[in-house]
C-alpha cells in the first residue's frame, strides 16, 4: 500500500514531467518509424519500443546510459546474427539456437557491463530472422537516435518509476 501511495504523490508533484516525457517518447519513436523501414521486423520494433521506454521512463538508470543502450544492442545483434547461422534445421535445434542467442547475449552484456534488457529481444529477432542490411541499419540508426535524444534531454528528465 505504501508504494502505491508514494507513486501517486510522485505523480501528483511531477505530473507535467510524466506527460512531457511520455510525449517525447511518442515523438521519438514516431520519428524513428517514419525514417526507417522497421515495420517488417516486429521483434526489432518491439525491442526498440522497450528501449524507448527505458530512455524516457528511466533516464537516470544505468541501463539507459549510451554505453548500455548501444553496447547492449550491438551484443544482441552480433549474438543473434551468429546463432542465425548455427543450429538451423529442425524445430528443436532452431529453438535451441534462438535460446542460446538470448542466453549468450545476456552473459556478454553482464560480463562487459553493457546491460540493456531490450537488447535480448534484438538477439532473439536476429537469430530468428537472420542478418540483413535493413535490420542492421534499423537497429543502429534507431539506437543512435535514442542515445542522442537521451544525451540532450537527460538533464531535464526524471525517473518516472
Amino acid at each position: 500500500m505504501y508504494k502505491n501511495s508514494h507513486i501517486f504523490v510522485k505523480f501528483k508533484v511531477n505530473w507535467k514531467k510524466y506527460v512531457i516525457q511520455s510525449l517525447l517518447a511518442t515523438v521519438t519513436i514516431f520519428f524513428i518509424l517514419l525514417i526507417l523501414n522497421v515495420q517488417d521486423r516486429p521483434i526489432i520494433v518491439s525491442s526498440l519500443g522497450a528501449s524507448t521506454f527505458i530512455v524516457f521512463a528511466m533516464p537516470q538508470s544505468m541501463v539507459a546510459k549510451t554505453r548500455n543502450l548501444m553496447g547492449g544492442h550491438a551484443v544482441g545483434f552480433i549474438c543473434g546474427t551468429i546463432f542465425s547461422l548455427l543450429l538451423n534445421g529442425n524445430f528443436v535445434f532452431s529453438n535451441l539456437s534462438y535460446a542460446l542467442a538470448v542466453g549468450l547475449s545476456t552473459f556478454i552484456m553482464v560480463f562487459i557491463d553493457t546491460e540493456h534488457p531490450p537488447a535480448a529481444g534484438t538477439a532473439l529477432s536476429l537469430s530468428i530472422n537472420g542478418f540483413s542490411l535493413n535490420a542492421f541499419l534499423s537497429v543502429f540508426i534507431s539506437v543512435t537516435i535514442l542515445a542522442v535524444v537521451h544525451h540532450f534531454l537527460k538533464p531535464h528528465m526524471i525517473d518516472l518509476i
Side-chain angles (χ1 to χ4, degrees):
M1 187 70 171
Y2 171 75
K3 182 175 170 100
N4 289 338
S5 63
H6 174 70
I7 291 171
F8 180 72
V9 169
K10 185 177 179 182
F11 176 77
K12 188 175 178 181
V13 171
N14 296 301
W15 70 271
K16 288 180 185 176
K17 291 273 189 186
Y18 279 73
V19 171
I20 290 169
Q21 286 177 222
S22 296
L23 287 172
L24 288 169
T26 303
V27 169
T28 303
I29 198 70
F30 178 71
F31 177 73
I32 289 168
L33 294 172
L34 279 178
I35 64 169
L36 299 173
N37 183 21
V38 293
Q39 289 84 355
D40 62 336
R41 298 213 178 257
I43 300 176
I44 288 176
V45 172
S46 298
S47 66
L48 295 174
S51 292
T52 302
F53 174 86
I54 288 173
V55 166
F56 289 97
M58 304 164 39
Q60 309 305 323
S61 170
M62 175 194 73
V63 296
K65 291 192 310 187
T66 300
R67 171 186 169 87
N68 295 65
L69 179 67
M70 297 189 82
H73 280 287
V75 168
F77 196 92
I78 291 166
C79 289
T81 299
I82 289 168
F83 280 97
S84 73
L85 303 172
L86 304 174
L87 300 176
N88 287 331
N90 70 29
F91 179 76
V92 173
F93 286 127
S94 292
N95 285 309
L96 178 61
S97 177
Y98 308 154
L100 287 169
V102 172
L104 183 62
S105 68
T106 300
F107 175 80
I108 293 172
M109 281 187 276
V110 171
F111 184 74
I112 65 172
D113 197 27
T114 58
E115 301 91 343
H116 188 72
T122 299
L124 181 61
S125 176
L126 268 292
S127 66
I128 292 170
N129 296 314
F131 174 85
S132 74
L133 184 58
N134 184 39
F136 176 79
L137 292 173
S138 296
V139 170
F140 289 103
I141 290 172
S142 299
V143 169
T144 301
I145 291 168
L146 285 172
V148 169
V149 169
H150 179 257
H151 174 77
F152 287 107
L153 295 180
K154 181 182 176 183
H156 310 288
M157 296 191 294
I158 63 168
D159 283 342
L160 302 178
I161 55 174

